[in-house]
Amino acid sequence: MFLELDQIARELDEIYLPLEQEGITGMRLSPQCDSSACIQALEKAQETLGVKFPLKLSRLVCKFDFGEFEVCNVRFGAGGDYASELVRLNGTDEYGGKWWPGEARPANLIVFAVGDPWIFLLDCADGAIYAWLLGDEELCGRRVAGDFERFFRALASIGITRLSKKAVPSAEEIAKFVQAGDDNAIEFWREIAEI
């Protein structure tokens, strides 16, 4: 039901490789070209952000290139390398804008992807994933996955299943797989499964 990482890469290649000739890019899970450079870039990003990325995130982004990747309307990178994207997403922009309320970014919390209308937060202390809307009162009020890899595998599996015109798992099945641990997650996964 939920695909393994290498299977996700193969399936996305089958679906999107022919479309790249027409200019549609960023939908394939390409292998990371230089894993040692990726490790160094992630170490620099961790130092800049003052966090330690969970091992599941580090392993996955050093295996595959997330620099320009999107699945299920969730964009991980907007071009270039993903480590730089993480720093950009979690810094103050040239106009003083930032995603967090108050002066300092919440400790151990980073944005790692964005979608319409969601902003995805990763708690670097325990690896939990949260889906946040700008109007939400609580940053971590909607825990949607227990870790980065399960979140990613669920998203990609949903996207591939939908494109293959097969039955998508129920929101309850998805929430169980990702170890959401939050009743608010079921509505989130129901919405993602229906996009």
Side-chain angles (χ1 to χ4, degrees):
M1 182 179 323
F2 296 99
L3 304 173
E4 296 293 334
L5 296 171
D6 290 331
Q7 189 178 5
I8 290 168
R10 280 193 307 275
E11 299 257 353
L12 290 174
D13 280 352
E14 287 177 23
I15 295 167
Y16 289 110
L17 191 56
L19 298 175
E20 285 191 355
Q21 297 170 2
E22 298 173 26
I24 298 171
T25 61
M27 308 300 265
R28 290 178 45 232
L29 193 57
S30 304
Q32 188 63 258
C33 295
D34 185 352
S35 62
S36 62
C38 178
I39 291 167
Q40 289 176 347
L42 283 179
E43 287 172 353
K44 185 177 178 185
Q46 289 176 113
E47 185 178 316
T48 301
L49 296 172
V51 297
K52 175 83 171 131
F53 297 142
L55 193 55
K56 292 195 178 193
L57 176 129
S58 298
R59 282 186 183 160
L60 196 53
V61 300
C62 285
K63 182 174 182 171
F64 297 107
D65 184 358
F66 277 72
E68 200 174 325
F69 184 72
E70 179 177 340
V71 66
C72 265
N73 199 31
V74 176
R75 187 159 197 71
F76 290 86
D81 73 278
Y82 187 59
S84 296
E85 183 72 2
L86 289 172
V87 170
R88 185 189 70 75
L89 285 170
N90 292 286
T92 305
D93 68 20
E94 63 270 16
Y95 305 106
K98 57 194 185 314
W99 64 262
W100 61 90
E103 290 298 314
R105 192 185 80 244
N108 288 316
L109 206 58
I110 63 165
V111 169
F112 70 90
V114 294
D116 186 14
W118 305 100
I119 296 172
F120 296 96
L121 304 170
L122 169 68
D123 185 334
C124 292
D126 67 5
I129 305 295
Y130 298 90
W132 181 59
L133 296 170
L134 286 174
D136 285 350
E137 290 181 22
E138 223 183 310
L139 283 176
C140 298
R142 189 179 297 105
R143 179 184 155 136
V144 296
D147 67 60
F148 184 82
E149 183 178 322
R150 284 182 180 272
F151 174 79
F152 176 77
R153 285 179 57 206
L155 271 182
S157 296
I158 291 166
I160 290 167
T161 301
R162 227 183 15 242
L163 288 169
S164 304
K165 298 187 180 350
K166 295 178 184 171
V168 175
S170 71
E172 292 78 10
E173 290 171 313
I174 298 166
K176 183 178 179 183
F177 171 75
V178 298
Q179 300 171 340
D182 188 331
D183 289 339
N184 292 329
I186 294 187
E187 192 56 41
F188 166 81
W189 286 113
R190 186 170 289 120
E191 183 179 317
I192 292 293
E194 292 173 359
I195 291 177

